[in-house]
Amino acid sequence: MESTLGIEDAADWVYRGEGAENIILAYTGFSPAYIGKVMRIRKAPKSGSQVVKSHTPLTEHERLLWKDVDELILSSDKEALRKLLVQHVMKPLLGPQYVDAGMNVLVSREFLESVEKNFICQRPAFRVDTAQIDMCSDSVLLMSDHSLFPNGSPEANLCISVEIKPKCGFLPLSRFISDETAIKKSVSRFKMHQTLKLHQGEISELSQYDPLDLFSGSKERIQKAIKDLFTTPQNNFRVFLNGSLIFGGLGGGAPATNFQIAKTFEDALKSVIQAEDGLCTDKFLYLVSESVHKSGALDQLLKIQKLDNLDVEGAIHAYYDITSQQCMACRELSEQQKNKYASLHSASLEESLRIVKDYLIAATAKDCSLIICFRPRKEGYSTSVCDQVHVPSTKQTYDFKVSFIDLDLKPLDKMEYFYKLDKKIVSFYRRMAEMNQVRDEAPNFAVM
Ligand SMILES: O=P(O)(O)O[C@@H]1[C@@H](OP(=O)(O)O)[C@H](OP(=O)(O)O)[C@H](O)[C@H](OP(=O)(O)O)[C@H]1OP(=O)(O)O
Ligand SMILES: Nc1ncnc2c1ncn2[C@@H]1O[C@H](COP(=O)(O)OP(=O)(O)OP(=O)(O)O)[C@@H](O)[C@H]1O
Ligand SMILES: [Zn+2]
């Protein structure tokens, strides 16, 4: 970290998007140090909002959890710590080719105040109501802009990228899953959560997408998943053309795709997909499906998601042992039911730490996103950083590169929240299923 970005630099950064915890700005200036980069700025909750917690450096128990990562001991700065966790935990697990942990850059308060003013009107209202830039940050994370092709100037390269938030891609098998929640073994978490989200007004229609299709390894099911994501993108699917959003929700979710949205997207694709029959969207969705299938990145992600092999119904007991608290999960059970979890409570501290660490790593892998960036293949392009996919119907070949984003490790004190949310999702879904209220109808719009 050298120079500090000041108020005079603010105009070079534009709003790119945001999630629950961070705002992302893209660089539009001419400084070689920042060209092709985005900036990830931590948010802080607005008073009265419960949604985003302000982040403290690691707690005593978290230091125990991540004690194998030597580099953490040297740092007490929270921004540096979160980068180090991505670099030393998630990056080796997912594969270094897919992850840029980024670097910390100093910023002044005036810089943060100025950028916030510049883009406030572009942020979704529900995000503005809950959080704003954390003005106490003195550094931010600078990382590659994965929506642009690496090592290429934007003028020279036409580039289209797709962002997918795939969520959990497997059905749990853990023997610690209770009889009451056994439905988890046959219905995906995403599908059950959709029902609760609809009821709570967080979404206006059920998604057609099922992560089990995307992670299936079958070309046909991957194609179905990509079409379903296009039909109901919510916060799971976005497309960028040369870094500008052309499909999906900026900073949040998006409504189901209607005729007008589909037409606007089809028109935007014309500069990058050459389809004689005029069906560029079809070709694009094929391109995305083929690259997902060919890259193998989701197979790797699934392996990491499956580090959660005990389910939260197992891991929660280890959490209470690590934090030396009375086990709230066992408190609700009869003596006979408790027996099932006795082996967890008699495990060594090392074993409990391993269980919870694996659970938290898997939680990150279930919540991260991937960006696949494409450029039409041209003679002379280096192929060392990318793979290729051919679209027979347009006779075009594309270079593509896959990257994972949003790999922050979840805080240890979220374990209770995970346990309660899981119960809530499953019990609501069960109630709806019992009342025959689980809706599954497709939106009116059919993908071309
Ligand atoms: O719990 P989930 O599965 O709803 O995931 C949350 C996401 O909701 P989603 O269902 O993907 O819309 C949620 O995403 P949105 O804010 O809904 O875009 C966050 O990613 C949240 O993580 P964190 O609090 O930022 O660390 C995510 O929380 P955790 O992954 O920590 O549970
Ligand atoms: N390296 C990157 N390159 C290009 N775009 C990015 C990059 N990182 C983030 N983005 C964009 O910014 C958005 C928000 O970023 P991110 O997912 O990191 O936020 P978050 O607050 O951590 O999300 P969540 O709500 O899932 O916790 C992404 O959905 C993506 O569109
Ligand atoms: Zn217990």
Side-chain angles (χ1 to χ4, degrees):
M1 284 198 280
E2 290 139 16
S3 59
T4 303
L5 290 173
I7 192 164
E8 65 285 1
D9 301 302
D12 291 334
W13 295 90
V14 296
Y15 183 73
R16 169 60 65 78
E18 67 187 283
E21 305 220 321
N22 299 280
I23 287 181
I24 278 67
L25 306 182
Y27 187 65
T28 58
F30 298 98
S31 165
Y34 302 119
I35 288 177
K37 303 282 183 194
V38 296
M39 173 185 290
R40 194 158 181 251
I41 312 177
R42 165 75 60 198
K43 293 197 280 188
K46 283 193 171 164
S47 53
S49 157
Q50 300 273 306
V51 178
V52 186
K53 301 170 295 308
S54 79
H55 275 245
T56 51
L58 298 186
T59 62
E60 183 198 333
H61 290 123
E62 282 174 327
R63 287 202 169 264
L64 203 55
L65 202 65
W66 304 114
K67 65 182 182 321
D68 297 339
V69 187
D70 296 336
E71 290 77 1
L72 294 186
I73 297 166
L74 303 171
S75 182
S76 58
D77 173 77
K78 60 185 174 182
E79 281 304 315
L81 279 170
R82 77 180 177 133
K83 184 212 123 176
L84 287 170
L85 280 170
V86 176
Q87 187 176 342
H88 296 286
V89 180
M90 297 309 293
K91 186 169 176 167
L93 286 171
L94 285 170
Q97 71 276 32
Y98 296 129
V99 180
D100 172 22
M103 61 183 275
N104 296 111
V105 171
L106 294 172
V107 289
S108 67
R109 191 183 174 99
E110 293 73 32
F111 173 83
L112 295 177
E113 284 170 352
S114 179
V115 287
E116 174 146 280
K117 258 191 240 132
N118 292 348
F119 62 65
I120 187 135
C121 54
Q122 285 171 272
R123 299 182 61 203
F126 81 101
R127 298 280 194 206
V128 175
D129 290 346
T130 49
Q132 61 194 22
I133 283 185
D134 182 351
M135 294 299 168
C136 298
S137 300
D138 52 14
S139 76
V140 297
L141 204 61
L142 191 71
M143 58 207 304
S144 306
D145 184 343
H146 296 305
S147 67
L148 302 175
F149 217 86
N151 311 323
S153 66
E155 318 84 64
N157 287 328
L158 193 58
C159 133
I160 188 151
S161 57
V162 58
E163 177 184 342
I164 301 174
K165 189 177 194 183
K167 302 301 288 188
C168 181
F170 70 99
L171 295 172
L173 297 167
S174 169
R175 67 190 174 92
F176 295 114
I177 293 174
S178 67
D179 293 344
E180 294 80 64
T181 55
I183 195 160
K184 284 200 264 190
K185 295 178 184 175
S186 53
V187 182
S188 72
R189 151 75 172 235
F190 182 83
K191 182 171 174 167
M192 288 193 281
H193 200 174
Q194 284 284 306
T195 305
L196 181 64
K197 284 184 174 186
L198 185 68
H199 172 74
Q200 292 178 329
E202 284 178 42
I203 51 173
S204 47
E205 64 280 296
L206 295 173
S207 176
Q208 293 303 293
Y209 166 65
D210 188 337
L212 302 183
D213 290 327
L214 191 69
F215 284 92
S216 66
S218 134
K219 273 196 184 191
E220 291 68 32
R221 288 183 69 188
I222 292 173
Q223 272 178 27
K224 175 181 179 336
I226 301 296
K227 283 189 173 169
D228 291 341
L229 283 166
F230 178 71
T231 308
T232 43
Q234 294 193 1
N235 66 352
N236 304 101
F237 193 72
R238 294 184 181 88
V239 183
F240 299 86
L241 184 60
N242 296 330
S244 298
L245 187 80
I246 57 167
F247 183 83
L250 188 64
T257 302
N258 60 24
F259 180 79
Q260 191 50 52
I261 295 171
K263 174 152 189 340
T264 308
F265 181 59
E266 175 71 21
D267 291 344
L269 284 180
K270 291 205 160 76
S271 62
V272 69
I273 308 264
Q274 292 154 12
E276 280 171 12
D277 58 6
L279 299 177
C280 297
T281 305
D282 247 7
K283 315 293 179 290
F284 176 69
L285 299 182
Y286 173 85
L287 179 63
V288 175
S289 313
E290 285 293 302
S291 61
V292 165
H293 186 257
K294 187 168 181 185
S295 86
L298 282 184
D299 305 329
Q300 189 56 23
L301 184 64
L302 188 60
K303 270 193 217 155
I304 310 306
Q305 292 189 351
K306 285 184 173 175
L307 286 176
D308 167 18
N309 60 347
L310 301 187
D311 194 79
V312 71
E313 291 186 55
I316 190 72
H317 304 271
Y319 164 75
Y320 285 119
D321 285 343
I322 292 171
T323 54
S324 310
Q325 298 179 74
Q326 186 197 359
C327 180
M328 298 305 222
C330 281
R331 212 176 56 167
E332 300 160 1
L333 304 176
S334 68
E335 284 307 314
Q336 199 198 346
Q337 286 170 321
K338 270 188 215 166
N339 280 339
K340 193 169 177 173
Y341 306 102
S343 61
L344 290 169
H345 283 302
S346 58
S348 65
L349 176 62
E350 274 310 305
E351 182 59 7
S352 303
L353 288 168
R354 191 196 57 74
I355 291 170
V356 173
K357 194 164 78 173
D358 282 354
Y359 183 83
L360 292 178
I361 291 171
T364 293
K366 292 176 196 172
D367 191 43
C368 72
S369 300
L370 74 160
I371 297 185
I372 313 175
C373 183
F374 302 92
R375 71 175 173 200
R377 170 109 276 273
K378 281 196 189 142
E379 285 301 314
Y381 278 171
S382 156
T383 51
S384 58
V385 292
C386 60
D387 213 334
Q388 283 168 30
V389 66
H390 183 66
V391 183
S393 56
T394 68
K395 302 191 184 71
Q396 278 178 297
T397 301
Y398 293 81
D399 293 333
F400 74 90
K401 174 153 187 0
V402 180
S403 310
F404 288 110
I405 58 166
D406 193 8
L407 295 171
D408 295 331
L409 280 153
K410 306 284 174 183
L412 176 64
D413 65 8
K414 222 176 167 183
M415 286 298 293
E416 266 187 358
Y417 166 84
F418 287 142
Y419 180 68
K420 287 181 186 158
L421 178 62
D422 182 74
K423 274 200 147 176
K424 190 170 172 183
I425 290 171
V426 177
S427 69
F428 185 76
Y429 186 83
R430 275 191 59 192
R431 247 188 309 142
M432 290 295 111
E434 276 158 21
M435 290 157 59
N436 262 335
Q437 289 292 307
V438 177
R439 289 197 277 139
D440 210 7
E441 74 262 21
N444 292 329
F445 176 76
V447 181
M448 290 168 282

